[in-house]
Amino acid sequence: DTGVSQDPRHKITKRGQNVTFRCDPISEHNRLYWYRQTLGQGPEFLTYFQNEAQLEKSRLLSDRFSAERPKGSFSTLEIQRTEQGDSAMYLCASNRQVFTYNEQFFGPGTRLTVL
Amino acid sequence: AQKITQTQPGMFVQEKEAVTLDCTYDTSDQSYGLFWYKQPSSGEMIFLIYQGSYDEQNATEGRYSLNFQKARKSANLVISASQLGDSAMYFCAMGRTNAGKSTFGDGTTLTVKP
């Protein structure tokens, strides 16, 4: 069990550029989540997938954000035309669909800085 | 909609003493789960403990216990015998049973003093 991995760990970009982040979940997990965390706050839900289907998107996810999980394994989160307000830690988490609780396993995050 | 409130931005505790971190929640769901995560300065989110809304017993995991009071909609985390390594940010979260996202509070920063 190698855990959830995210790449890159840090990204610095200029305003207006596009960025893409990758998340590799734990292999047997069919659910994958993206959260955004700004300094001093808790993670805010962005979107989640069950297998390759995107089941829910937050209203926080503007048209500039898009996420994919094409084969039900890894996922990418793309931000187009980045703004300074997009600077945050982007966290990915995964778990299996179960009928009890939904503890999520988090990756180390990608820290985005928009200059 | 679900909401988590953590009213203590920062807490201090002496090493080896117990500490309680407060969490209240609001939801109209009948079936839900409550979670606590630890986030050290390194940034990773570490799952600590879970309580289901229908669980009658309070959850315990080693030095962590969750004081669940359903009528008051509170789910406080109790850490016994604090250690220096417990210094971190602690988040309370909730989610619908067998559903997707979790909703997080804004966290409590715990500092353990030697």
Side-chain angles (χ1 to χ4, degrees):
Chain A
D1 183 351
T2 57
V4 178
S5 62
Q6 293 187 245
D7 183 68
R9 296 289 306 276
H10 303 274
K11 179 71 177 177
I12 299 174
T13 191
K14 293 183 179 179
R15 185 162 50 98
Q17 298 292 306
N18 298 344
V19 294
T20 300
F21 309 141
R22 177 179 170 125
C23 171
D24 287 88
I26 294 171
S27 58
E28 64 267 27
H29 288 180
N30 64 340
R31 285 187 170 176
L32 186 149
Y33 309 80
W34 285 100
Y35 292 86
R36 181 172 67 188
Q37 185 179 22
T38 52
L39 202 60
Q41 307 229 320
E44 295 175 294
F45 170 77
L46 293 178
T47 188
Y48 92 96
F49 294 84
Q50 181 164 302
N51 301 312
E52 63 275 9
Q54 189 172 21
L55 295 191
E56 188 174 350
K57 288 171 59 173
S58 164
R59 282 172 287 182
L60 291 174
L61 216 64
S62 75
D63 291 345
R64 297 185 297 106
F65 288 70
S66 62
E68 292 183 342
R69 195 183 183 199
K71 297 182 179 179
S73 56
F74 73 92
S75 174
T76 58
L77 177 69
E78 182 183 16
I79 309 175
Q80 295 182 328
R81 304 181 304 282
T82 51
E83 302 173 356
Q84 288 185 325
D86 297 330
S87 295
M89 176 78 88
Y90 289 84
L91 295 167
C92 176
S94 71
N95 64 5
R96 282 186 300 143
Q97 181 185 7
V98 293
F99 295 102
T100 55
Y101 66 92
N102 60 341
E103 166 203 348
Q104 296 174 10
F105 295 83
F106 282 82
T110 295
R111 183 167 295 284
L112 173 66
T113 303
V114 181
L115 302 176
Chain B
Q2 299 179 330
K3 184 176 171 61
I4 295 285
T5 302
Q6 295 181 253
T7 57
Q8 306 155 314
M11 289 283 286
F12 291 88
V13 65
Q14 208 67 37
E15 192 178 9
K16 301 181 184 176
E17 292 186 350
V19 63
T20 297
L21 306 184
D22 294 342
C23 172
T24 58
Y25 63 91
D26 191 23
T27 182
S28 56
D29 295 306
Q30 296 301 309
S31 181
Y32 51 88
L34 294 152
F35 311 84
W36 279 90
Y37 290 85
K38 172 184 178 182
Q39 188 175 44
S41 56
S42 53
E44 75 271 28
M45 295 283 284
I46 302 166
F47 167 74
L48 296 177
I49 196 167
Y50 161 83
Q51 178 86 39
S53 58
Y54 290 115
D55 293 341
E56 295 183 353
Q57 302 266 356
N58 284 343
T60 60
E61 289 286 347
R63 295 186 299 111
Y64 305 107
S65 61
L66 198 153
N67 184 359
F68 181 46
Q69 298 188 45
K70 195 171 182 177
R72 294 186 175 184
K73 293 189 174 180
S74 74
N76 298 339
L77 177 71
V78 180
I79 306 174
S80 63
S82 297
Q83 302 171 356
L84 295 177
D86 294 335
S87 294
M89 182 81 99
Y90 288 81
F91 290 98
C92 181
M94 73 179 303
R96 287 193 297 274
T97 305
N98 192 31
K101 67 181 181 185
S102 290
T103 299
F104 286 79
D106 283 337
T108 295
T109 301
L110 177 66
T111 303
V112 180
K113 295 181 175 180

